[in-house]
Amino acid sequence: QQQVKQSPQSLIVQKGGISIINCAYENTAFDYFPWYQQFPGKGPALLIAIRPDVSEKKEGRFTISFNKSAKQFSLHIMDSQPGDSATYFCAATNSGYALNFGKGTSLLVTP
Amino acid sequence: GAVVSQHPSRVICKSGTSVKIECRSLDFQATTMFWYRQFPKKSLMLMATSNEGSKATYEQGVEKDKFLINHASLTLSTLTVTSAHPEDSSFYICSARASGRSPYEQYFGPGTRLTVT
């Protein structure tokens, strides 16, 4: 079963806007929550990650918000650019074992 | 650092033949490597986990006799698809965990597109 649920499946945002992708999990043993960016025909690349002891982490235009009690986390892309158009995957892992991926969100940033 | 390569990037083979995909960590030693399969516009599905010098651990539903994984050195893991069939056509991606670094970080290869005709 899907251990990490991701929404929306696709997202269209205008250039300069904010892209928001949400994920939810059930397994409270998960202790590391990364986000990956994948371009067509390429492997995923780590974008940003968070541990459950913090509620927010920001790196440049990318921010993860983490709500431990709700078992939800989200990715915010500020000032979205056409070059951000890609598929984004959230994931979760327990103690560094295998990653459990969400189903992915296809983001299109229009000029 | 932390670069993972895969070879080949694309391969076309005939039904019934076997094909080998290599995954190499170029600038670090990888104690653990993971193999994923990804269908078009779908998520990554973990196939197996391999630790250097030991047998791979396969996920439920993955045929170990069909997808042979060998992790013979700290920088190389191979996935061999034996007696390939068209339904094995997919995008295969490996990732590696670096020894001496955070166990949480996985570095992904660029993927191998397998087409079985």
Side-chain angles (χ1 to χ4, degrees):
Chain A
Q1 82 241 29
Q2 196 79 25
Q3 295 205 50
V4 180
K5 296 184 179 179
Q6 182 172 348
S7 62
Q9 186 175 345
S10 63
L11 182 61
I12 300 175
V13 173
Q14 280 195 328
K15 179 182 175 181
I18 303 174
S19 304
I20 301 174
I21 305 170
N22 301 298
C23 285
Y25 65 98
E26 285 298 323
N27 189 345
T28 55
F30 287 148
D31 58 3
Y32 180 72
F33 302 87
W35 284 89
Y36 288 87
Q37 179 189 58
Q38 185 180 31
F39 292 103
K42 303 294 183 183
L46 179 66
L47 203 56
I48 187 172
I50 198 167
R51 301 290 297 274
D53 52 347
V54 297
S55 60
E56 186 175 281
K57 183 174 182 180
K58 183 177 181 180
E59 289 184 1
R61 296 185 294 111
F62 302 94
T63 299
I64 298 179
S65 296
F66 187 83
N67 186 328
K68 189 174 181 178
S69 60
K71 291 185 285 187
Q72 295 175 345
F73 58 111
S74 60
L75 175 69
H76 296 232
I77 306 175
M78 313 299 286
D79 187 27
S80 299
Q81 298 296 313
D84 296 331
S85 298
T87 300
Y88 292 81
F89 292 96
C90 62
T93 182
N94 171 22
S95 301
Y97 187 57
L99 291 163
N100 297 274
F101 283 91
K103 289 191 172 184
T105 296
S106 178
L107 171 65
L108 175 64
V109 181
T110 59
Chain B
V3 178
V4 176
S5 70
Q6 282 184 241
H7 178 80
S9 57
R10 288 176 175 270
V11 58
I12 301 173
C13 70
K14 291 188 175 180
S15 187
T17 62
S18 295
V19 62
K20 180 185 285 188
I21 301 170
E22 292 186 349
C23 175
R24 291 182 185 272
S25 55
L26 299 185
D27 51 1
F28 65 96
Q29 293 186 328
T31 50
T32 304
M33 286 185 169
F34 302 90
W35 285 95
Y36 295 86
R37 182 174 182 178
Q38 187 178 34
F39 291 103
K41 298 188 185 299
K42 296 293 184 184
S43 189
L44 285 79
M45 182 183 75
L46 179 66
M47 298 175 66
T49 302
S50 72
N51 293 296
E52 187 265 338
S54 61
K55 288 185 178 181
T57 302
Y58 290 81
E59 295 299 302
Q60 192 173 8
V62 178
E63 298 176 63
K64 59 182 68 175
D65 294 331
K66 181 167 190 60
F67 298 100
L68 300 179
I69 291 171
N70 184 282
H71 192 162
S73 78
L74 284 171
T75 59
L76 173 65
S77 177
T78 59
L79 167 67
T80 301
V81 183
T82 62
S83 186
H85 288 96
E87 56 266 31
D88 299 325
S89 298
S90 192
F91 193 50
Y92 292 88
I93 307 172
C94 71
S95 70
R97 202 158 66 192
S99 61
R101 299 192 195 185
S102 168
Y104 295 94
E105 293 181 4
Q106 288 187 29
Y107 306 98
F108 283 83
T112 295
R113 173 77 58 197
L114 169 63
T115 303
V116 184
T117 61

